[in-house]
Amino acid sequence: MKKLFYIAVFGLVLVACSRINPADKAAHAAKQYYDYLLKGKYESFVEGHYMPDSIPESYRSGLITNARMFIKQQQREHRGIKETRIVNADADTALHTANVFLVFTYGDSTSEEVNVPMIESKGIWYLR
């Protein structure tokens, strides 16, 4: 009887998880990628970009360098980005795209809302 209860609960959890709004999935993915950037995980941030084909290592290294430079620029101009927050997201399920709106809160107490375009491929949301 106890086993049956656990199986039923597990089934309900699976059903609930499968009904997560695609826009919410895209929003959480976008936030995660930018959190990687803020934590200095530049490689993970770059891997979060949609690249249907493989790219040369020199190009990948350039993207990582650009991510580092972006963070240094934000540090100089705003004392860094201290937090990312999801504001809104909307998804086009037919095209497998989404627009996620994040707010960057800077170290100088200013904030900025940015649009982060996303694309879904094989069930994973990527930065576009």
Side-chain angles (χ1 to χ4, degrees):
M1 186 66 144
K2 219 177 195 183
K3 237 183 192 180
L4 183 60
F5 172 75
Y6 288 122
I7 291 171
V9 169
F10 180 72
L12 287 174
V13 168
L14 282 178
V15 169
C17 289
S18 67
R19 292 187 183 170
I20 295 174
N21 182 340
D24 289 341
K25 288 181 183 180
H28 289 287
K31 182 177 179 347
Q32 181 64 58
Y33 295 135
Y34 275 92
D35 285 347
Y36 286 148
L37 184 64
L38 298 184
K39 292 176 184 172
K41 297 180 178 180
Y42 305 114
E43 296 83 4
S44 297
F45 176 74
V46 168
E47 288 171 13
H49 287 76
Y50 180 67
M51 293 179 231
D53 298 318
S54 61
I55 59 172
E57 184 56 37
S58 60
Y59 183 66
R60 185 177 181 282
S61 295
L63 293 174
I64 292 168
T65 299
N66 285 345
R68 270 195 195 99
M69 288 175 21
F70 173 75
I71 290 299
K72 286 181 182 176
Q73 176 188 14
Q74 297 308 308
Q75 187 64 40
R76 269 193 323 274
E77 294 178 6
H78 299 286
R79 290 189 278 167
I81 301 171
K82 300 304 176 193
E83 176 188 32
T84 59
R85 188 170 36 89
I86 299 167
V87 177
N88 194 12
D90 59 84
D92 183 331
T93 55
L95 296 176
H96 300 278
T97 60
N99 284 303
V100 175
F101 298 91
L102 298 177
V103 168
F104 293 166
T105 303
Y106 296 104
D108 62 4
S109 74
T110 60
S111 61
E112 176 181 19
E113 184 174 315
V114 295
N115 176 26
V116 181
M118 303 289 288
I119 187 164
E120 182 187 29
S121 177
K122 299 177 183 170
I124 299 172
W125 284 96
Y126 294 96
L127 299 166
R128 194 167 45 167

